[in-house]
């Protein structure tokens, strides 16, 4: 995991080295200044030597300014290195996610991917900054200060060492005890947030059933649990600062007592005494920082692992080298196709089995079947969004695996069931289909998809801004825009996966009419719930439970297929009364 | 504005925890005193003990022992005070946080629906998460730290002034420079942090949108383009983040080293004065000043690192109070729903559950009881969400008990709005709506809503078991009653096949249930409430024909014997209605039953046949 993360440091390697180097210089100077102070007191003030006093002061001032500069530099390079790493990690994740096939997209939820690219990266970024800065500074400061203490007085140095060990143990035990409590706290937080979310989203239900008192009670219960856990954790943490003080005071007393004895017996100096007091604070602060840094690093390990998982995730579906870059026509063949979403070896249950189908170029095919009958799975094999488990899918007589992936998908346009528009103008959205499309081409495609009429009624027409996810157009309008976007690819094969469900029957018919008249050579596959959407197709495929139940024209199926007839009759009787 | 919210929060916190706050303050003073006392001890140590002993041939350690024991005592008190004030601060901040959370939630539950229409749900959530979190940070850390620092600075300043005025002025002067420097750096840094926040928001938004559309990206082979777009905003984020962190990172080195410079100048000045025997400076005083100087500069650094947190908490507190100050639903209703029983052939009010409900209507001259029947009428109703745009015009309609009224019309015609007026999710501007002859404005909202069942198109369920979710309709319902309701709603069949049956845990988002199953549960939920009036919004989503049939059948059973307002999409529902209201742009343009409306050959005819009238 760590290697994957560090591989992304790339062009920020230099900054990553410079930051700790400058930190080291800063620490050395910061330890040096109090030492000079002891010389100034002992050899200058005590002896009444003005020259020594001034010389020491000038040296210390210069050291302070250099240290200030070093602090600037380390801060700057640490910021650049950590932000740079964050940038590269985000870039690497994003790039790799773009390489995911549908299979990988399915296996990560959106919210999980988003967390991995936002919160997790921020955690790693902060931890990295800590590592190249604080993790250098704190131990170095600790060691250097201890070293100087021993130099000034080995006897007192030993006291320091014991104090450091004592405080170290206290701080780390507190961290270890508190860590699992905080983990529990975060889980409870999630629970609480979920319950708030449900109330915000379902406020109409809450109010309609007059459940405000009930929800208040429930919430108060959950927030009490959080109150108790959090109070417990924070109370344990309150040990930290008195423990620090205790250690500091203990050392001050010890230095005062032993220092006084040693000064009197001439084995120690007043200057040394003053300097030691300064080192106490340096050492304590270093320990405090170290314990904080440890927590942050531990917390970021989980984030780092989640990020590495994305970067290292291999796509299960890759474009062949030197794949075919031309699709000759729009004919499709399924030959003994079996498919399941799981791994290839666990072939116990197929989503599609024994599919054999020949679809001539330019024909219109309707696909019907109940939810879960694998209609979508069937068509997603054509643009190779998934690979078959066994058998072959052919387009224009060649196995889809032989085609260059981009070529194949550019020639097989698909309007997904769960379709989205992106924030941007209608034109910008349309150009997803063809980046070079002229305004005329866009208008023609929208006319074909029966979208032009409502676009013309919008205040900014084709420059109307579409909100994220297409929030400001109705479901039926969104579907028509998605169809137009797919048409702009001028594909050999067009697949509509339940893409007109929110479009009224009349417009639906107009779209199909336009398909017949204007793109007769394109093979059209239409998945639908409504029989009226497919009844004039050249062939209708009835799917059930992943198997082809029947194939035929509307009239044939009406005569031979009982299920088809039944659906037809229910829909005639209790049909939709919908409009847009 | 921001500081006001923060002030208000602190005031509230103080008035709820007066004794605790005062205790914390006192303890902080004790703790700071012990600290400063330690620095002053340096002077005594050098001047009063070490120097005389150095000059004496037979040094007597007796006085030093006594002095050190005194210091041990002072320090012990100091450490105890530190621990106690931290402990009490935790109590204060945790109590305040719990109070804020509970207040927020209770207030939110009381807010009118319009609040939820006009505020993004993500923003409401963020008040509970991010904004409350910033409060935790300042209440348990920043505020005690700032108070402590302030007390320390004041007591150190006094001590320094007592010890030596010129030296004290050096330190104070450098302190001012440090404050100015840190303010400038913080200002720069918060400027860039805002920039970073903005770019971060942009990156987050982009990622979210692209993750939602990732399958579309694949289908359109748009991967390269989206990577390029992402790189652009990612680079911008890097710029802003590295700038923001740069300034944040240099704050401590600047303050630390300015502290050293202050120390050096102090020591230099002091030494020169001492050597020339001026200003009565002793070696001990210089030694003490070295300590005091650090005790003075340390808190300045601490305060400036907390400044950012305090600014953020100010913004958080503002958003918290924005929600807490939002006006709640007003309810001036006095008419309540009560149970009644027959005593000597007369209906009288009673406390036990009898399944006979009455409206209890208090008048000046006594109490009137009206039987709950479910008769709903609209008289000349006008409505608008905002004053400038009227949504419904002149709506008149009546539903006698047990009648079914269907609303049809295009999206945005006002169907949903009408149904939201009956249960007073929104209040009308003109006209009146009556329930069993009583103006709904006179009825207590809770009782009015209890008499109305509702099944919405978007099903909202809550975390808990399926049984809990059904019981949501009526908290007093027994398990058997809930199961009976599930049977009526056709939900029983699928529930009993689940591994844990009615005890299956579900999630608010209902990820483990299909759309159809969720609908069945919401029908059961309405059935267990058993209200005389029902509001139904039929689903249009594309569930398959078989499930749709089951759902429809459940709905039909639920509707039997009740007054029903239904936003209809299905022909069979509409045909079975007593009256159909065709809405267009907030007006009822046609009304009548199915056959009447077909004869009229108007809009309904057109919708039904898909043909233009007179064609």
């Amino acid at each position: 995991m760590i290697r994957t993360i560090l591989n992304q440091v790339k062009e920020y390697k230099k900054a990553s080295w410079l930051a700790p180097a400058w930190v080291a210089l800063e620490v050395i100077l910061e330890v040096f200044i109090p030492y000079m102070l002891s010389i100034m007191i002992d050899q200058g003030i005590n002896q009444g030597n003005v020259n020594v006093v001034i010389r020491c002061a000038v040296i210390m001032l210069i050291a302070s300014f250099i240290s200030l500069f070093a602090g600037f530099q380390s801060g700057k390079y640490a910021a650049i290195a950590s932000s740079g790493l964050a940038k590269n990690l985000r870039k690497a994740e994003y790039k790799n996610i773009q390489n995911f096939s549908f299979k990988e997209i399915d296996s990560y939820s959106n919210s999980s991917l988003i967390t991995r690219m936002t919160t997790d990266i921020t955690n790693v970024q902060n931890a990295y900054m800590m590592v190249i800065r604080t993790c250098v500074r704190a131990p170095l400061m600790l060691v250097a200060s201890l070293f100087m203490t021993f130099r000034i007085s080995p006897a007192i140095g030993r006291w320091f060492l014991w104090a450091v060990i004592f405080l170290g143990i206290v701080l780390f035990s507190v961290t270890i005890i508190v860590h699992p409590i905080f983990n529990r706290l975060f889980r409870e937080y999630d629970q609480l947030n979920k319950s708030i979310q449900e109330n915000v989203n379902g406020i109409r239900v809450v109010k309609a059933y007059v459940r405000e008192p009930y929800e208040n009670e429930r919430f108060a219960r959950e927030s009490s649990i959080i109150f108790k856990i959090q109070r417990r954790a924070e109370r344990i943490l309150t040990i930290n600062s008195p423990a620090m003080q205790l250690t500091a005071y203990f050392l001050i007393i010890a230095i005062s007592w032993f220092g006084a004895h040693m000064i009197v017996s001439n084995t120690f100096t007043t200057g040394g005494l003053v300097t030691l007091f300064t080192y106490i604070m340096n050492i304590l602060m270093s320990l405090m920082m170290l314990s904080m840094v440890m927590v942050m690093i531990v917390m970021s390990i989980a984030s780092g692992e989640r990020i590495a998982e994305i970067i290292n995730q291999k796509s299960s579906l890759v474009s062949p080298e030197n794949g075919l870059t031309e699709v000759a026509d729009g004919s499709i063949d399924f030959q003994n196709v079996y498919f399941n979403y799981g791994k290839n070896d666990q072939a116990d249950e197929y989503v599609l089995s024994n599919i054999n189908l020949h679809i001539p170029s330019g024909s219109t095919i309707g696909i019907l079947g109940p939810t879960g009958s694998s209609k979508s799975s069937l068509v997603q094999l054509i643009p190779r969004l998934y690979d078959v488990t066994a058998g072959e899918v052919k387009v224009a007589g060649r196995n889809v695996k032989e085609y260059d992936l981009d070529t194949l998908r550019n020639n097989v346009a698909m309007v997904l069931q769960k379709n989205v528009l992106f924030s941007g103008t209608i034109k910008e959205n349309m150009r997803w289909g063809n980046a070079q499309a002229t305004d005329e081409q866009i208008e023609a495609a929208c006319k074909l998809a029966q979208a032009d009429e409502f676009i013309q009624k919008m205040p900014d027409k084709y420059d109307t801004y579409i909100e994220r996810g297409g929030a400001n157009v109705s479901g039926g309008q969104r579907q028509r825009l998605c169809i137009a976007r797919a048409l702009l690819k001028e594909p050999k094969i067009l697949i509509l996966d339940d893409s007109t469900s929110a479009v009224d029957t009349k417009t639906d018919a107009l779209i199909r009419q336009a398909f017949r008249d204007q793109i007769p050579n394109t093979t059209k596959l239409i998945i639908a719930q409504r029989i009226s959407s497919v009844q004039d197709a050249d062939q209708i495929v009835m799917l059930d439970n992943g198997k082809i139940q029947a194939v035929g024209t509307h009239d044939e199926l009406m005569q031979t297929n009982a299920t088809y007839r039944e659906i037809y009759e229910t829909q005639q009787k209790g049909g939709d009364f919908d409009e847009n | 504005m921001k500081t006001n919210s923060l002030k208000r929060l602190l005031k509230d916190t103080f008035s709820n925890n007066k004794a605790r706050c005062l205790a914390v303050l006192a303890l902080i003073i004790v703790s700071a005193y012990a600290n400063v006392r330690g620095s002053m001890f340096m002077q005594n140590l050098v001047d009063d003990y070490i120097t005389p002993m150095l000059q004496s041939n037979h040094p007597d350690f007796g006085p030093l022992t006594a002095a050190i024991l005194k210091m041990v005592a002072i320090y012990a008190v100091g450490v105890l005070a530190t621990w106690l004030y931290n402990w009490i601060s935790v109590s204060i901040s945790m109590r305040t946080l719990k109070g804020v959370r509970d207040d927020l939630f209770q207030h939110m539950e009381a807010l009118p629906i319009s609040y939820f229409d006009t505020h993004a749900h993500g923003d409401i959530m963020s008040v509970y998460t991010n904004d409350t979190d910033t409060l935790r940070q300042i209440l348990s850390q920043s505020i005690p730290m700032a108070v402590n620092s302030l007390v320390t600075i004041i007591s150190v300043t006094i001590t320094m002034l007592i010890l030596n005025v010129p030296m004290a002025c050096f330190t104070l002067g450098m302190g001012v420079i440090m404050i100015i420097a840190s303010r400038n750096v913080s200002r720069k840094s918060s400027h860039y942090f805002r920039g970073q926040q903005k770019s971060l928001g942009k990156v987050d938004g982009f990622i979210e949108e692209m993750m939602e559309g990732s399958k579309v990206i694949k289908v359109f082979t748009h991967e390269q383009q989206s990577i390029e777009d992402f790189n652009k905003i990612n680079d911008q984020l890097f710029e802003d983040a590295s700038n923001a962190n740069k300034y944040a990172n240099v704050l401590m080195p600047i303050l630390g080293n300015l502290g050293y410079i202050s120390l050096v100048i102090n020591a230099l000045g002091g030494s020169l004065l001492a050597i020339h025997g001026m200003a009565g400076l002793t070696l001990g005083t210089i030694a003490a000043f070295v300590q005091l100087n650090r005790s003075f500069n340390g808190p300045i650094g601490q305060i400036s690192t907390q400044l950012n947190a305090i600014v953020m908490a100010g913004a958080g507190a503002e958003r918290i109070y924005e929600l807490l100050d939002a006006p709640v639903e007003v309810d001036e209703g006095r008419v309540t729903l009560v149970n009644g029983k027959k005593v000597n052939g007369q209906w009288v009010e009673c406390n036990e559950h009898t399944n006979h409900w009455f409206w209890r209507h208090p008048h000046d001259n006594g109490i009137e009881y009206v039987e709950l029947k479910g008769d709903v009428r609209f008289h000349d109703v006008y409505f608008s969400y905002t004053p400038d745009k009227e949504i419904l015009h002149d709506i008149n309609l009546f539903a006698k008990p047990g009648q079914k009224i269907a609303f049809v019309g295009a999206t945005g015609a006002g169907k949903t709005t009408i149904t939201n007026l009956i249960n007073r999710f929104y209040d009308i501007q003109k006209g009146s709506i009556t329930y069993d002859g009583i103006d709904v404005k006179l009825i207590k909202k809770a009782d009015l809503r209890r008499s109305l069942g509702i099944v919405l198109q978007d099903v909202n369920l809550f975390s808990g078991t399926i049984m809990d979710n059904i019981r949501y309709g009526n908290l007093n319902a027994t398990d058997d009653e809930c199961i009976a309701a599930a049977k009526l709603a056709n939900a029983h069949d699928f529930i009993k096949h689940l591994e844990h049956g009615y005890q299956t845990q579900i999630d608010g988002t209902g990820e483990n249930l299909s759309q159809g199953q969720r609908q069945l549960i919401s029908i059961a939920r309405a059935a267990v409430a058993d209200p005389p009036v029902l509001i139904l919004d039929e689903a249009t989503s594309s569930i398959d024909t078989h499930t749709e049939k089951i759902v429809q059948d459940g709905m039909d059973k639920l509707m039997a014997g009740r007054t029903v307002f239904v936003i209809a999409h299905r022909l069979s529902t509409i045909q079975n209605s007593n009256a159909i209201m065709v809405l267009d742009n907030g007006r009822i343009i046609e009304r009548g039953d199915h056959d009447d409306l077909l004869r009229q050959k108007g809009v309904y005819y057109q919708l039904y046949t898909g043909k233009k009238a007179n064609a």
Side-chain angles (χ1 to χ4, degrees), chain A residues 273-309:
Chain A
L273 190 76
V274 175
T275 305
L276 285 186
F277 278 94
T278 314
Y279 287 149
I280 293 178
M281 281 329 286
N282 284 353
I283 288 174
L284 295 186
M285 286 312 294
S286 312
L287 276 174
M288 198 70 190
M289 274 191 201
L290 267 183
S291 76
M292 262 163 51
V293 168
M294 283 301 154
V295 175
M296 284 206 57
I297 290 178
V298 168
M299 269 163 55
S300 70
I301 284 177
S303 292
E305 274 166 358
R306 281 196 294 267
I307 294 171
E309 195 187 341

Side-chain angles (χ1 to χ4, degrees), chain B residues 151-162 168 172 292 296:
Chain B
V151 172
T152 308
I153 288 175
I154 292 171
S155 48
V156 168
T157 307
I158 294 171
T159 315
M160 285 194 299
L161 285 171
I162 293 171
L172 292 180
L292 286 170
F296 181 79

Side-chain angles (χ1 to χ4, degrees), chain A residues 12 30 40 45-46 50 53 57 60 64 67-68 71 75-76 79 83-84 87 90-91 94-95 98-100 102 105-106 110 113-114 118 125 129 133 189 193-194 196-212 214-216 218-220 223-224 227 230 234-235 238 241-242 245 249 252 256-257 260-261 263-264 274 277-278 371 406 409-410 414 416 419-420 422-423 432 468 485 489 574-575 577-579, chain B residues 35 42 50 54 59 61 64-65 75 79 82-83 86-87 90-91 94-95 98 101-102 105-106 109 111 113 116 121 125 128-129 136 204 206 208-223 226-227 230-231 234-235 237-238 241-242 245-246 249 253-254 257 260-261 264 267-268 271 283 287 291 294 329 409-410 425-426 446 449 454 460 462-463 472-475 507-508 525-526 540 544 569-571 574 607:
Chain A
Y12 300 102
E30 276 184 43
M40 178 167 153
I45 305 174
N46 256 348
V50 180
V53 168
M60 279 194 281
S64 301
S67 162
L68 182 64
K76 185 176 99 182
S83 317
K87 178 184 91 174
R90 258 193 302 268
K91 199 159 135 184
Y94 193 84
K95 200 170 154 200
Q98 295 306 315
N99 283 329
F100 279 10
F102 270 35
I105 295 174
D106 292 338
N110 276 345
L113 286 180
I114 291 165
T118 53
Q125 175 182 350
M129 187 144 80
R133 204 155 165 256
Y189 259 139
N193 288 339
K194 203 159 103 185
I196 299 169
Q197 184 97 56
E198 285 170 14
N199 267 272
V200 174
N201 292 338
I203 191 71
R204 284 187 153 79
V205 178
V206 175
K207 288 199 175 281
Y209 287 105
V210 203
R211 286 293 164 263
E212 295 96 327
Y214 171 78
E215 292 293 339
N216 283 337
R218 188 159 120 152
F219 182 85
S223 84
S224 290
F227 167 68
Q230 198 170 13
E234 300 259 352
R235 275 190 173 162
T238 59
S241 61
Q245 267 193 355
Y249 291 163
I252 289 175
S256 304
W257 177 248
H261 275 270
I263 292 172
V264 172
V274 175
F277 278 94
T278 314
T371 327
D406 281 1
R409 289 182 185 163
N410 283 333
M414 178 147 171
L416 295 166
N419 224 313
V420 277
F422 295 88
S423 47
W432 274 62
R468 191 173 130 193
R485 180 173 65 180
K489 283 171 104 170
F577 194 88
D578 237 346
E579 18 47 45
Chain B
N35 195 10
M42 273 303 286
I50 295 178
L54 275 174
F61 281 97
L64 179 62
T65 314
Y75 276 158
V79 169
T82 306
W83 185 56
N86 274 306
W87 182 274
V90 165
S91 282
M94 292 302 122
R95 265 163 211 282
K98 177 169 165 39
R101 278 199 195 103
D102 289 354
F105 191 82
Q106 279 183 21
E109 295 287 292
L111 288 172
I113 297 290
F116 297 89
H121 290 185
M125 282 306 294
Y128 286 92
T129 52
R136 187 194 61 80
D204 285 3
F206 185 86
E208 272 177 47
E209 184 166 7
M210 290 305 148
M211 292 303 125
E212 276 160 27
S214 54
K215 290 199 170 178
V216 178
I217 293 177
K218 299 250 83 141
V219 169
F220 280 91
T221 58
H222 211 263
E223 295 94 336
S226 92
I227 289 174
F230 178 75
N231 284 348
N234 192 23
D235 285 345
L237 173 62
F238 163 72
S242 65
N245 284 310
K246 234 183 258 177
N249 283 349
I254 287 180
N257 288 299
Y260 279 120
I261 291 170
V264 172
L268 176 68
S271 311
L283 184 59
Q291 276 302 100
R294 298 213 84 185
E329 266 189 288
F425 276 173
Y426 304 96
R449 287 174 188 167
I454 189 164
N460 284 105
F462 298 86
S463 295
Y472 210 86
N474 175 7
L475 295 182
D507 194 82
R525 181 168 67 185
T540 46
D544 66 277
H569 301 288
R570 294 185 51 86
L571 195 54
I574 297 165
L607 285 169

